[in-house]
Amino acid sequence: MARPNRGQKRLLAAGVAVCGVFLFYWERPIQEPQNIHFQERHLDVQELQVPHLPLPVWFVKTKNPTVAVSIEFQDEGERNFSQQPGLFSLLSALIEEGVGPYSKTELKNVLDEHCLNVSCSGGDDSWGFSLYAVPEKWELGVDILLDYMLHARLPEKELERIRANMKDSVRQTMIYPVALASEGMNQLLYPKDHPYSWSFERTLQGLETCTREDIVKAYKQLFDPRHARVVVAGNLEPEEVVRVLAKLFEALAKERKNDFKKVQQETGFYKEGVVQHISHEAPQTIVTFALPGVRDDSPDVFAARVACDVFGGGTQSRLFTELREKLGLVYGIGAGRSCGDMSALVRGNARIDPQNREVVVRKIREVLELLVEKGITAKELEAFKVAYALSENLHSAPKIVAQLAAYRDWGVPVSQVNTYPRNMMNLTVEKVNTFLKGVDPHRLTVLTVGPGKGGLDGGIPGEKDSKGGDVK
């Protein structure tokens, strides 16, 4: 099955409060952890030179029985097709209808028979494939990956069925307030001409107008080896990794060359520091909020991760403790970091009783303002380090590959891979609080969706109505 692309993920994740690394507290609350010693892990990443790949392959030899492969093509994905919304969704689905010598049913059977797991996903910034296999079958899996990239059948007869299903899914989704909140916040963050901008109506229009010729043209423009970043982990020898991947990328180099122009765009948000409300007759009100954040390639990323989790990352965060546990104003609330090549933000969601809308918006601001003013505590930092150590438990090839692929996304050099956890563990309260002093709470943007129009009890300072006008 293809993983949902970024556009689909926006719909699926719109109402999910981000719980972050503090989720483990559901099972075992940790009270004032002390004298905890962390052992820095070393992955021993090797850089392998593979023909036709300008960037080296990152390889980690493991002893576990799974081989994991991640191949991402940083060719800016949907950015170069932003005028054709819905095209990548159709392409993802059509690829699953058969590749190379395999029909859809035959492909499923061969993957199941040989214990292979293949998935693909396209987004704003890249298109990627992942493969999980046992060592004896990973070469077969790579051969099938080549079929995905070069020999997808993209059957015309299945297009209309897929198109109709996707349109129905979008129409069913867009009636929910949580989906409207996701769409509305996106439109506050990114103007219409921004590659990250999307709307349900534009998506429906794109799904309607994209032809098979459009899809085939886009497919033939992707997967240029010059843009590939590859990570492999498993019980393999380096020479075997080079041999198998060389065959893959030699075939791709003969067929796939694109000259996409790099899309230039301001990374700042379209609107900041406003509160808007969308009227929707629903039993609950959805509150979504966003604040400019820090990219993973920034030296401030370590302090930013702590600050974000203390603010909204789970059941012991400031937001959860204050608004749910102490005041009982929300059914659930959370926030987490969201990064793209063009922007990074802290984004959160809450579900509330409509009558609590005004006070919840004020309290979210107050919690943020107090965090910036007073900073975090030593207890909060220590709890974060415990949770981080647990989340960084990299004993399987898929986990290793996922972590290394994330590092590659943000240009972290291999020489710094093992210093990343050390930098996290060496954080001090002073470093985090110094970072927080540079955060501006007035840039917090809030969108609410639910009953009522405009502000309650005289309105919220700085609030805009659903058309962008000042609330009277």
Side-chain angles (χ1 to χ4, degrees):
M1 293 291 293
R3 293 178 297 180
N5 65 28
R6 181 171 298 195
Q8 294 167 315
K9 288 178 181 177
R10 290 174 180 135
L11 305 183
L12 295 172
V16 179
V18 180
C19 293
V21 295
F22 286 104
L23 275 173
F24 76 98
Y25 283 117
W26 281 107
E27 298 180 0
R28 184 180 296 178
I30 295 179
Q31 302 295 329
E32 300 187 19
Q34 297 177 354
N35 301 321
I36 296 174
H37 300 281
F38 300 98
Q39 181 177 2
E40 182 184 348
R41 55 142 174 88
H42 292 272
L43 292 179
D44 190 23
V45 180
Q46 301 178 57
E47 291 190 299
L48 307 180
Q49 299 298 326
V50 174
H52 306 289
L53 289 182
L55 295 177
V57 171
W58 284 10
F59 170 62
V60 176
K61 183 175 176 59
T62 68
K63 295 181 180 180
N64 65 61
T66 303
V67 175
V69 182
S70 169
I71 303 175
E72 286 194 353
F73 297 88
Q74 193 69 13
D75 51 19
E76 302 193 312
E78 289 182 356
R79 293 186 197 175
N80 287 281
F81 301 92
S82 60
Q83 301 306 311
Q84 295 177 289
L87 186 149
F88 266 39
S89 298
L90 292 171
L91 175 55
S92 294
L94 272 180
I95 284 179
E96 295 297 320
E97 294 298 319
V99 300
Y102 309 110
S103 67
K104 181 178 182 178
T105 300
E106 291 168 339
L107 179 61
K108 180 182 184 302
N109 290 340
V110 75
L111 294 176
D112 290 345
E113 178 184 354
H114 297 286
C115 299
L116 298 170
N117 183 299
V118 174
S119 59
C120 61
S121 64
D124 298 304
D125 302 318
S126 64
W127 183 285
F129 289 87
S130 64
L131 165 69
Y132 304 145
V134 294
E136 295 79 10
K137 298 294 183 178
W138 90 284
E139 186 170 359
L140 172 62
V142 172
D143 289 340
I144 293 176
L145 282 183
L146 181 60
D147 284 328
Y148 270 86
M149 289 181 259
L150 281 187
H151 307 125
R153 296 184 178 186
L154 307 178
E156 175 79 44
K157 65 179 182 179
E158 300 297 338
L159 177 57
E160 294 311 312
R161 175 184 59 82
I162 292 171
R163 189 199 308 274
N165 288 342
M166 287 187 172
K167 288 166 61 179
D168 285 345
S169 178
V170 171
R171 291 192 185 101
Q172 292 171 18
T173 300
M174 62 191 294
I175 67 174
Y176 295 105
V178 66
L180 295 178
S182 180
E183 177 190 45
M185 178 58 76
N186 178 275
Q187 292 173 0
L188 286 177
L189 298 177
Y190 308 113
K192 291 182 179 180
D193 62 345
H194 195 288
Y196 285 0
S197 178
W198 67 276
S199 71
F200 288 117
E201 290 299 332
R202 287 185 62 229
T203 300
L204 284 172
Q205 182 181 6
L207 289 173
E208 180 65 38
T209 58
C210 279
T211 66
R212 183 178 183 275
E213 289 70 26
D214 295 328
I215 295 169
V216 171
K217 180 180 179 181
Y219 174 72
K220 291 183 176 180
Q221 288 179 285
L222 299 169
F223 319 132
D224 186 334
R226 295 174 299 176
H227 305 148
R229 291 188 307 241
V230 185
V231 179
V232 180
N235 191 5
L236 304 169
E237 296 303 323
E239 297 78 12
E240 181 184 2
V241 174
V242 172
R243 177 185 63 81
V244 173
L245 292 181
K247 182 174 62 173
L248 169 72
F249 288 107
E250 180 181 14
L252 281 180
K254 293 178 180 179
E255 301 288 341
R256 293 289 191 261
K257 288 184 175 61
N258 68 56
D259 294 304
F260 288 141
K261 294 181 180 179
K262 186 172 181 61
V263 178
Q264 301 293 336
Q265 188 76 39
E266 292 293 328
T267 59
F269 295 147
Y270 182 47
K271 293 184 180 180
E272 296 177 357
V274 301
V275 179
Q276 288 194 3
H277 181 69
I278 297 175
S279 181
H280 189 285
E281 295 305 320
Q284 294 182 2
T285 288
I286 303 298
V287 180
T288 182
F289 50 94
L291 183 73
V294 172
R295 285 167 48 105
D296 283 7
D297 58 354
S298 165
D300 290 328
V301 64
F302 310 104
R305 285 188 63 170
V306 177
C308 180
D309 280 305
V310 171
F311 176 53
T315 60
Q316 292 202 356
S317 69
R318 300 273 186 97
L319 285 177
F320 192 94
T321 301
E322 184 69 20
L323 274 69
R324 186 183 188 279
E325 300 299 283
K326 290 184 179 180
L327 299 176
L329 291 173
V330 301
Y331 304 120
I333 189 168
R337 297 175 62 250
S338 175
C339 296
D341 276 7
M342 288 188 172
S343 66
L345 64 150
V346 175
R347 188 164 180 171
N349 293 280
R351 295 178 294 108
I352 67 172
D353 188 301
Q355 67 180 354
N356 293 331
R357 173 177 165 265
E358 181 180 4
V359 66
V360 166
V361 172
R362 291 184 186 276
K363 286 296 182 182
I364 291 173
R365 283 177 165 172
E366 289 176 7
V367 170
L368 178 60
E369 289 170 352
L370 185 62
L371 179 63
V372 170
E373 179 185 357
K374 301 293 186 180
I376 70 166
T377 66
K379 179 180 176 181
E380 287 172 325
L381 178 60
E382 192 70 9
F384 171 86
K385 289 182 178 181
V386 173
Y388 174 78
L390 294 176
S391 70
E392 290 288 288
N393 186 16
L394 302 179
H395 289 304
S396 71
K399 287 186 177 181
I400 291 171
V401 164
Q403 185 66 70
L404 293 183
Y407 289 148
R408 298 210 78 169
D409 278 346
W410 297 104
V412 179
V414 68
S415 61
Q416 296 181 20
V417 166
N418 280 320
T419 65
Y420 193 99
R422 183 192 308 151
N423 288 335
M424 294 299 298
M425 291 305 172
N426 286 343
L427 272 174
T428 64
V429 171
E430 291 73 22
K431 288 180 180 178
V432 178
N433 290 343
T434 298
F435 163 77
L436 280 168
K437 293 299 181 183
V439 175
D440 184 358
H442 294 97
R443 300 178 72 183
L444 184 72
T445 295
V446 183
L447 177 75
T448 60
V449 179
K453 297 180 180 180
L456 303 176
D457 298 330
I460 303 170
E463 183 172 19
K464 306 289 183 182
D465 63 22
S466 60
K467 296 182 180 180
D470 293 329
V471 174
K472 303 299 184 183

